Amino acid sequence: MPEEKYVPPTFLKWASGDVAKDYPGKTFIISCNEALARGAVEAGVRVVAAYPGSPLQYTIESLAIASSIYPSMHVEWSSNEKVAYDVTLGAAMAGMRAFTPMKQLGMNVVIDSLVQGANLGPAGFVLAVGDDPGALETENEMDTRYLARYAEIPVLEPTSIQEVKDYTLMAFELSEKIRLPVIVRITTGLAYQRSPVVFGKIHHEIRERDVSFDKNRRWILGDAFPWPMKPFGAKHMRFHDELPVKEWEGTVGSLPKASFTKEVIERLEWNELILPDRPVAGVIAVGECYQDTMEAIRYLGVESNVAILKLVTSFPIPENRVREVLKKTGSVLVVEQIEPFVEAQVCAVAANMNSHAKILGKLTGDIPVCNEVTRNIIGKALGKMLGRNFLPEEEEKRIEKGKDLLLKELSFISPPRFCPGCPELAAGFALKTVCNELYGEEVTYIGDVGCYGMMTVPPLNASYANLSMGSGISIASGIYHAGSKDKIIAYIGDSTFFHSGMPALVNAVYNKANLLLYVLDNRTTGNTGHQPHPGAFGITATKQATKMLDIEEIVKAFQVDFVKVVDPYDFEETTTVLKKALEVEGVSVVIARRTCALLAQRIMGLMEK
Amino acid sequence: MEDNHLNLMIAGLSGQGIIMVERLLVMSLAQEGRNVLSADVPPWTHRNALTYCHIRMGEKLYSPRIPEGAADIIIAFEPLVGLQVSAVYGKEDALVIMNDYTVETRGLSRDGSRDMSGLPAHKYPDIEGILGHMAGLGIDKVRIVSGTDISFKETGSNRCLNMVMLGAAYSSRMIPVEVDTLENHILENTPPGTGQTNLKAFRSGLKLAL
Ligand SMILES: Cc1ncc(C[n+]2csc(CCOP(=O)(O)OP(=O)(O)O)c2C)c(N)n1
Ligand code: SF4
């Protein structure tokens, strides 16, 4: 055989579109977001929709470039995650492969359509969800796998960037086979890795196939079943093999049953099992945790005498493989990010087979539930199983001392604040000045989600609460209806306004709330890296010109009692208008409009991206 | 270094060009046939937030993430960032290459009045204090570089700080890659039109011969 010449992997040239081109067999160093995009492109994805949210917002940027190469591909920033989900579900119903990446909080927004959409049995439909162990860059550490389980749809957790690419592609095939949406779960630690990835073939023929929306299929939740069968219950029955299949051929009956999904998952090679003859311990390492588990095992030098199950399908789990591990070892450590989700399933398997193996992990306190699971944490738990130390005691103390130093002596270093020149900071300052003068302490400010969340911290201290996107207006209304005598202010950003602020504002007007809505219109989705939205510059995700919706016109149509646009850089104008607005009974709206300072610099070309 | 591994961390504030250095190093190491992985830490949108990246090289790698207390080399673009990152990731005896220019942000300013966003600030700790904290953690091989000054002097702006720091770090001879490989990537894989300036900045860092 001729010796193969070493071809070093290279980075993709930025914005070159290489991520979407035909390079079968070529190796590129790509990021996780690019790998998700590449997997979808190789699968022949036709429709992609998403609302921005870390850590997966960059996937759309790569796919937007792809769509400029393959014009039949539609890529959009949607107004919120549920809209994005419904758009992609529609495309899947029309016979095209469809993809929607979202952050973990997005799952909360799509949950209604997610649960019911699974019942419809769509095919070729993949979601990517970014979970955030340790809440490193979001407001909440939540484990979306429970929501997947609630919706009864499978979850894949790739263990490397190569697998992110490969399993995103294969998730589409899996979804077609089992007729369910499939979720690819990415955790923050994986989401920002880069590594060499071998590209595969792009299925252009799938992307270019004809639309095939089956009008005879009855894409509804109820079916015309005769009494006493319940029309709406039938779809759920398929998830539990309880549907009398034969009678319902052509409807839900023809959709694959749960037992089939389990069988398919059981047969997948992805869940690799390494089983030495006499293992001293067993480990089940899920998704991203596989990496650091292997690092810990290597560090301990026990590679050849530990049973290792690399688990990619965290729901449902491949029970036979888990049984094999349980049979061979006296104790098994389950390593996963956030909640003991797989661990609980492993416990159930063990109970059913009367296994006496000890199952260790988060339920036993060997690994903490909160914060990222890292090599040292895994190593400590493994060391305990094997009856030895992982790191020398002194080293552990030294590391603790370092962290103590940061927490105790350097706590004055603040988290990010408003960027220099931020228009939202200027707007907040004007409002605070006016309110201090007019009402003193008798003001209640309620925030929402965006850069202006930083109003909650000193020195502005001009926001007392923020919760989920679009909730500020309604929380403020609730405080008013509860009888507060304070002047009530609600903030909202422009992207948040389109995401979920509009129904809340309609409600406030209709139900006669008395508040000032302060719209921080910086013409972009600032906090997540400046994505466009329906009210920003009239431009789509793929840089096509489109209509631009004006928040002022919209709120006028909602019949608010006062509306005016101001430039927050103009302190005089802003304070004068605010004073007027605050006198109005009912719902008044002041729109502080000026482009985000970072975006403005970027537009002017003063800064590299 | 644990069995032929090199754990290298680059830390600074968002906007200082950290990812560019990561890319150049990873490309150069990969080109010479090294097994290399990297990861950035969640980049914040906002200016001047703490940000860093992990680069790991070695025969058998599973994770690109440097474990706590295990970084062999830390390139810090700002003093307090250097302390923060060293305190979590620095190995005992780690080599730290640290820029001495303090950025008045994150609620800090040199005179303790206001930071760059105009918000009230805490006084920036002095360099001796920072070095003392690091020595207390067994990290006393700290090489201080006037990277921002050099960048200004050589290129007229602070935008090439990243290249100066890369040059300074390279001059420590701990990064196992040929200088030609690295310089070629600087010429070819920095933004169009900036190659020569970046190379100049890199070489001025190199001259420090740490
Ligand atoms: C359901 C949900 N989706 C996405 C996010 C991520 N997110 C946080 S802030 C933000 C931007 C909001 O933009 P905008 O309202 O315009 O405010 P700005 O950041 O521009 O001030 C987004 C999308 C989230 N927190 N929750
Ligand atoms: S990103 Fe823009 S809106 Fe957000 S704090 Fe910075 S300047 Fe302000």
Side-chain angles (χ1 to χ4, degrees):
Chain A
M1 227 167 62
E3 203 177 301
E4 268 186 52
K5 202 171 142 268
Y6 174 73
V7 184
T10 51
F11 277 92
L12 295 168
K13 283 231 185 314
W14 191 74
S16 63
D18 279 351
V19 74
K21 291 183 191 153
D22 285 297
Y23 286 117
K26 193 164 157 56
T27 307
F28 285 103
I29 298 173
I30 58 173
S31 67
C32 184
N33 275 273
E34 286 166 336
L36 283 165
R38 176 71 193 184
V41 169
E42 285 185 8
V45 75
R46 177 71 170 245
V47 173
V48 180
Y51 180 75
S54 51
L56 302 186
Q57 66 267 44
Y58 307 108
T59 304
I60 296 296
E61 285 169 18
S62 294
L63 286 164
I65 293 172
S67 83
S68 64
I69 303 174
Y70 310 120
S72 65
M73 215 175 128
H74 172 83
V75 178
E76 69 172 44
W77 281 125
S78 310
S79 45
N80 71 34
E81 291 90 345
K82 182 169 179 296
V83 170
Y85 176 92
D86 293 342
V87 168
T88 40
L89 174 66
M93 286 161 60
M96 294 302 178
R97 287 189 168 175
F99 181 50
T100 177
M102 66 191 75
K103 75 186 281 121
Q104 92 281 44
L105 301 176
M107 277 282 271
N108 300 340
V109 179
V110 305
I111 195 70
D112 189 11
S113 282
L114 183 71
V115 175
Q116 314 217 56
N119 281 335
L120 294 185
F125 184 27
V126 175
L127 290 75
V129 178
D131 271 3
D132 189 14
L136 299 178
E137 50 170 20
T138 33
E139 32 292 83
N140 201 353
E141 183 179 48
M142 55 171 274
D143 195 327
T144 53
R145 296 177 298 177
Y146 289 109
L147 297 185
R149 183 181 185 144
Y150 176 54
E152 313 200 57
I153 58 186
V155 184
L156 311 181
E157 299 195 45
T159 73
S160 66
I161 303 302
Q162 179 76 50
E163 288 190 2
V164 170
K165 195 279 282 172
D166 292 346
Y167 297 157
T168 302
L169 160 67
M170 291 194 241
F172 287 92
E173 291 164 14
L174 181 62
S175 165
E176 274 161 13
K177 205 182 276 177
I178 61 177
R179 300 221 57 136
L180 281 174
V182 171
I183 292 180
V184 179
R185 183 197 194 218
I186 305 287
T187 39
T188 308
L190 187 65
Y192 293 108
Q193 298 184 5
R194 290 160 207 273
S195 83
V197 169
V198 186
F199 281 16
K201 175 177 169 303
I202 298 175
H203 291 283
H204 297 292
E205 74 293 349
I206 293 182
R207 188 185 58 244
E208 303 305 333
R209 68 190 174 195
D210 291 333
V211 175
S212 57
F213 178 63
D214 181 357
K215 294 177 186 162
N216 297 320
R217 206 175 153 271
R218 300 178 58 79
W219 297 92
I220 53 172
L221 295 168
D223 249 314
F225 295 124
W227 191 87
M229 223 174 128
K230 312 286 183 295
F232 290 101
K235 292 240 152 70
H236 183 218
M237 288 167 148
R238 97 156 153 122
F239 290 111
H240 303 280
D241 286 10
E242 290 174 8
L243 190 72
V245 180
K246 288 242 166 46
E247 286 92 306
W248 315 115
E249 278 304 339
T251 62
V252 263
S254 55
L255 293 174
K257 296 186 288 181
S259 50
F260 177 74
T261 302
K262 278 199 157 171
E263 231 172 82
V264 170
I265 297 234
E266 201 68 63
R267 280 199 309 262
L268 291 174
E269 301 282 308
W270 315 344
N271 300 307
E272 254 171 57
L273 177 59
I274 302 168
L275 206 53
D277 269 349
R278 259 187 253 299
V280 289
V283 179
I284 297 176
V286 186
E288 178 208 333
C289 288
Y290 175 75
Q291 299 180 344
D292 278 339
T293 302
M294 294 309 288
E295 291 284 346
I297 288 175
R298 185 173 62 80
Y299 189 86
L300 282 165
V302 291
E303 286 115 311
S304 51
N305 33 15
V306 174
I308 303 159
L309 175 58
K310 171 166 108 178
L311 201 78
V312 173
T313 55
S314 57
F315 180 72
I317 58 170
E319 293 187 3
N320 288 338
R321 288 184 195 216
V322 170
R323 268 186 218 111
E324 279 183 66
V325 179
L326 290 170
K327 264 188 237 154
K328 278 260 185 139
T329 52
S331 55
V332 178
L333 180 70
V334 184
V335 193
E336 60 193 312
Q337 293 290 12
I338 315 187
E339 301 283 345
F341 176 78
V342 168
E343 193 179 335
Q345 294 180 72
V346 172
C347 288
V349 172
N352 282 339
M353 63 186 274
N354 290 323
S355 159
H356 295 293
K358 260 196 285 179
I359 294 155
L360 307 172
K362 300 189 171 213
L363 292 169
T364 54
D366 288 82
I367 294 178
V369 173
C370 302
N371 287 314
E372 282 193 293
V373 175
T374 59
R375 187 202 73 169
N376 290 358
I377 291 173
I378 303 166
K380 202 167 174 178
L382 262 175
K384 195 172 137 197
M385 280 170 90
L386 302 171
R388 55 200 258 204
N389 272 351
F390 184 66
L391 295 178
E393 229 169 274
E394 275 143 57
E395 179 59 6
E396 250 180 58
K397 276 200 195 123
R398 195 186 66 87
I399 294 174
E400 273 321 302
K401 189 175 160 195
K403 285 194 226 167
D404 261 17
L405 171 77
L406 298 179
L407 296 177
K408 293 187 185 138
E409 291 185 49
L410 296 173
S411 58
F412 54 80
I413 305 176
S414 82
R417 306 214 210 175
F418 292 100
C419 313
C422 174
E424 296 190 352
L425 173 61
F429 181 71
L431 177 73
K432 184 85 194 222
T433 310
V434 169
C435 288
N436 276 354
E437 183 189 320
L438 296 182
Y439 310 106
E441 292 296 305
E442 278 148 24
V443 197
T444 299
Y445 307 92
I446 302 298
D448 211 304
V449 182
C451 292
Y452 49 98
M454 293 185 279
M455 303 261 188
T456 39
V457 293
L460 280 183
N461 290 323
S463 170
Y464 302 135
N466 58 43
L467 182 67
S468 60
M469 289 192 76
S471 62
I473 300 170
S474 307
I475 292 177
S477 305
I479 290 173
Y480 168 73
H481 293 309
S484 169
K485 295 279 175 291
D486 270 14
K487 193 72 214 174
I488 299 195
I489 316 264
Y491 297 99
I492 197 162
D494 45 349
S495 186
T496 305
F497 180 83
F498 290 107
H499 179 281
S500 44
M502 295 201 294
L505 182 57
V506 168
N507 184 65
V509 172
Y510 171 59
N511 288 304
K512 303 169 146 208
N514 184 5
L515 54 85
L516 170 78
L517 176 65
Y518 202 22
V519 183
L520 301 155
D521 183 359
N522 60 356
R523 320 237 94 174
T524 188
T525 319
N527 213 21
T528 46
H530 309 99
Q531 295 80 11
H533 61 65
F537 299 110
I539 183 175
T540 67
T542 51
K543 302 207 164 58
Q544 310 283 318
T546 182
K547 289 179 181 153
M548 179 169 139
L549 278 62
D550 185 346
I551 297 179
E552 186 184 9
E553 294 303 319
I554 294 171
V555 304
K556 271 187 195 156
F558 289 177
Q559 302 181 38
V560 298
D561 300 289
F562 175 96
V563 58
K564 189 118 182 90
V565 179
V566 297
D567 174 2
Y569 275 15
D570 185 338
F571 183 76
E572 281 304 314
E573 182 204 12
T574 306
T575 47
T576 314
V577 169
L578 279 170
K579 279 180 191 161
K580 239 188 247 156
L582 285 162
E583 277 168 15
V584 175
E585 278 288 309
V587 176
S588 47
V589 179
V590 175
I591 302 170
R593 178 175 292 161
R594 178 167 275 271
T595 305
C596 153
L598 279 193
L599 184 64
Q601 286 177 44
R602 207 165 281 165
I603 292 171
M604 290 188 291
L606 295 179
M607 218 159 48
E608 74 285 12
K609 209 185 130 61
Chain B
M1 263 176 264
E2 170 203 327
D3 40 311
N4 255 338
H5 277 59
L6 178 69
N7 291 337
L8 191 152
M9 186 161 260
I10 310 166
L13 299 166
S14 48
Q16 284 184 323
I18 284 166
I19 308 263
M20 176 59 75
V21 176
E22 173 197 350
R23 288 174 69 106
L24 294 170
L25 279 172
V26 170
M27 266 189 282
S28 305
L29 288 162
Q31 183 178 331
E32 293 187 1
R34 303 276 186 180
N35 189 21
V36 55
L37 293 176
S38 72
D40 339 314
V41 152
W44 281 77
T45 306
H46 308 121
R47 281 288 107 160
N48 301 318
L50 170 65
T51 170
Y52 50 99
C53 73
H54 307 243
I55 299 179
R56 299 190 70 215
M57 193 204 85
E59 268 157 41
K60 218 169 173 192
L61 290 177
Y62 295 99
S63 170
R65 297 197 299 162
I66 299 172
E68 290 177 355
D72 301 297
I73 308 178
I74 294 170
I75 309 177
F77 288 23
E78 210 266 357
L80 256 188
V81 165
L83 170 56
Q84 285 180 293
V85 168
S86 303
V88 177
Y89 290 101
K91 207 181 67 170
E92 187 158 14
D93 221 25
L95 174 68
V96 180
I97 292 130
M98 190 158 94
N99 182 26
D100 65 0
Y101 186 81
T102 57
V103 181
E104 297 183 272
T105 178
R106 303 192 293 158
L108 297 161
S109 78
R110 267 161 245 148
D111 62 3
S113 57
R114 287 180 182 274
D115 74 3
M116 278 164 57
S117 301
L119 302 176
H122 189 279
K123 192 169 171 350
Y124 201 105
D126 55 26
I127 292 271
E128 286 69 40
I130 290 176
L131 292 179
H133 281 311
M134 289 168 78
L137 299 169
I139 301 173
D140 50 11
K141 283 200 307 208
V142 184
R143 308 277 182 271
I144 296 191
V145 176
S146 296
T148 304
D149 288 354
I150 297 176
S151 174
F152 263 113
K153 243 180 257 153
E154 296 286 328
T155 69
S157 91
N158 62 358
R159 298 218 348 224
C160 291
L161 166 67
N162 57 351
M163 293 300 131
V164 177
M165 294 306 291
L166 178 59
Y170 185 84
S171 78
S172 72
R173 295 162 185 266
M174 283 198 38
I175 302 172
V177 75
E178 296 294 326
V179 72
D180 291 347
T181 311
L182 197 48
E183 291 197 341
N184 273 338
H185 281 296
I186 292 174
L187 282 175
E188 280 168 29
N189 290 307
T190 49
T194 65
Q196 285 300 341
T197 320
N198 279 317
L199 186 63
K200 193 171 172 210
F202 172 74
R203 287 190 174 155
S204 63
L206 207 56
K207 268 192 287 195
L208 298 172
L210 299 179

